[in-house]
Amino acid sequence: MQRPSLFSKVTDKVQKKINSYIPDKVHQAITTAIKQMVKAVLFGSTFTTSKPVTDFTLMHREALIRQKIENYKKTGATEGGITGAGGFLMSLADFPLLLGIKMKMLFDIAAVYGYDVKDYRERLFILHIFQLAFSSKEESKNIFLKMEDWDNKAHKLPADIDEFDWLTFQQQYRDYIDLAKLAQMLPFIGAAVGAVANYKLIEKLGKTAMMCYRMRYFSLQYAVIGSQETESRKLGTEN
């Protein structure tokens, strides 16, 4: 919720200026491509993700999650190194591959925290985590406010996943990774840049996901404690 830094503001203005020069048809084409890609990953991953973990403490869950994040970071770094070494065309292939790795990691993290990703609302929460990790400072505030008290807000969510703001989603994500991905296409250094960039991007997403699910966990804990205290006061009054 901190105010964006001067550097962040300047970067956002530059990105918006660049986007203004890009024809609407191009934006629409990119949005449609990302929309279909993300939907394919979302609905496909539900069949390969483990069942929600139950009866584990928060500490045990997060120990497992940290292991998973480390594995995904290594997978992403390897994939980025290979595609980065392959030049321009191979670097383009990195985009959907990296997106798939990130989404699969989020599905696994959700399952370990005990959430069923076959639930449409949980898939939307995953998209919000993704946005929160890879959005500008200003946009991330709006997303964070949407995610607060998520379990009480879930019934107000769009009835159709097509109502999700795909345009903002693709612009924020693309703008966030632009510099790293452009450098990945450079000869000689592409492999190293691709490996490091993917490693860091997955690390950031993993940490963001953990904080988001912690927020939900403690929100529910406080709600239970609050209801118990209210019930105790009622019983005390009656007595």
Side-chain angles (χ1 to χ4, degrees), residues 11 14 28 70 74 91 125 127 132 169 181 210 228:
T11 303
V14 172
Q28 291 173 5
E70 285 299 317
K74 292 174 183 176
S91 293
F125 188 74
L127 282 181
L132 189 65
F169 181 90
K181 291 303 159 189
M210 289 183 70
Q228 289 176 343

Side-chain angles (χ1 to χ4, degrees), residues 23 62 69 72 88 107 119 123 145 147 190 193 196 212 215 218 221 230:
E62 295 200 336
I69 292 173
Y72 277 107
F88 181 78
F107 272 76
D119 186 331
R123 296 197 295 270
L145 292 173
M147 298 175 75
V193 171
V196 174
C212 288
M215 182 169 67
F218 288 111
Q221 294 298 310
T230 301

Side-chain angles (χ1 to χ4, degrees), residues 128-162:
H128 279 75
I129 293 174
F130 199 95
Q131 277 190 294
L132 189 65
F134 302 121
S135 291
S136 65
K137 193 70 177 177
E138 203 61 43
E139 182 63 22
S140 65
K141 284 185 180 181
N142 299 329
I143 298 163
F144 176 77
L145 292 173
K146 290 179 182 179
M147 298 175 75
E148 279 190 310
D149 197 24
W150 178 267
D151 293 282
N152 287 328
K153 294 176 181 177
H155 66 281
K156 299 178 183 178
L157 294 174
D160 188 343
I161 199 169
D162 286 308

